[in-house]
Structures are given as C-alpha cells and as structure tokens.
Amino acid sequence: MTDAVSSALQAHQSSATYQVLNLAFAFECVARVRHLLEDEGVLRCLDVLEAYLKGEADLQALEKAAAEAAALAIGHQGSRSLDGVGHAAVSASYAVANALAGRAVQAADYAAYAAVYGEGGYGAVSDPESFVAERNWQVAAIERLASTLAAR
C-alpha cells in the first residue's frame, strides 16, 4: 500500500505546488495520530509545521523544528504499557520528524503504523489488512489536497 501513496504523490510531482502538497499531506497524516504523541516537545514541533503551512512560520523555524523533532524521536524511550499499544507514540514521533523533514511517504508510513499500533497493538501491525483503511484515507487525502492547492 505504500506504493499507492508514493504513486499518488508522484502523480503530482510536476505541479508547482508539489512541495506544499508533500508538507500538507505529511501534516495531515501526523495530525490523525496527534493524540498518540506523548512528548510536549514533539507536539510543539508539529505546531511549527502547521504554522509554516499557514504562512505563520518561516523556513528557518521549520528547519529548527525538524532537527528538534528528529532528536526527540531518536531519544524516545517508548511506553511502559503492558500490551505495547503505547509504543504507538514512538512511531507517531518519527512521523512528526519525517513530516517536518519533508519526507511525506515516510511520515505517512510511520503515522499509519502508529494508528494501527494504537488501535490494535502488536497483533494488528503484523496483519497487512490492518493498514488498508489508513492507506486508503492517505491516497484520498493526497487527491483532496492536490485539488485544493490547484484551485488556489
């Protein structure tokens, strides 16, 4: 299913708004798992991405938040939950770091993993079918965002 997300993004690669589409898509993927984030610093970094997309933060702020999010994701200790579902926070943190770095497909991958992990724990992430709904949403989000950006 990652191939479907990559293909959907690549279909818009020649668009003048491709970079914005990448960041907006990555942000939307991560926004869906925001509730799984446990670190206030990662949440602040995600807020910088949102501000950047709204024109309220500059590239320097985005780059600083990207570096901070990457360090926070790498240093995330995971969760002590017995069933492991809390480890979704780690994946969500990596999703934020990738989104801020402009790596939309990787952000989407980590966000999907976090969503599935958060819903069903260890067993769900080993079942490819668990990811279908999230991947379908992601492809639809790309098309919706591309249409919105093209209409501007």
Side-chain angles (χ1 to χ4, degrees):
M1 288 297 281
T2 299
D3 291 342
V5 171
S6 294
S7 295
L9 276 173
Q10 288 174 356
H12 301 283
Q13 197 165 11
S14 63
S15 162
T17 58
Y18 181 69
Q19 292 301 97
V20 175
L21 173 62
N22 256 339
L23 288 173
F25 169 65
F27 173 77
E28 284 204 11
C29 289
V30 176
R32 286 173 61 85
V33 296
R34 182 183 183 104
H35 65 284
L36 297 172
L37 293 167
E38 297 174 337
D39 188 306
E40 289 297 321
V42 177
L43 286 164
R44 283 191 301 275
C45 291
L46 180 57
D47 290 341
V48 171
L49 177 55
E50 183 176 24
Y52 180 81
L53 288 167
K54 291 179 176 178
E56 299 168 357
D58 62 15
L59 184 59
Q60 184 177 7
L62 183 71
E63 290 171 347
K64 181 179 177 190
E68 182 179 350
L72 290 168
I74 290 167
H76 199 296
Q77 296 299 308
S79 175
R80 293 183 177 91
S81 64
L82 293 176
D83 64 0
V85 173
H87 290 297
V90 176
S91 294
S93 295
Y94 274 100
V96 171
N98 279 283
L100 282 157
R103 295 187 296 266
V105 173
Q106 292 87 341
D109 282 345
Y110 277 109
Y113 191 84
V116 170
Y117 211 158
E119 287 285 318
Y122 290 129
V125 295
S126 63
D127 180 7
E129 290 297 312
S130 298
F131 292 88
V132 171
E134 191 66 18
R135 294 301 189 194
N136 288 341
W137 177 88
Q138 290 175 346
V139 171
I142 292 166
E143 296 311 317
R144 177 181 45 76
L145 287 166
S147 293
T148 301
L149 290 170
R152 287 184 185 175

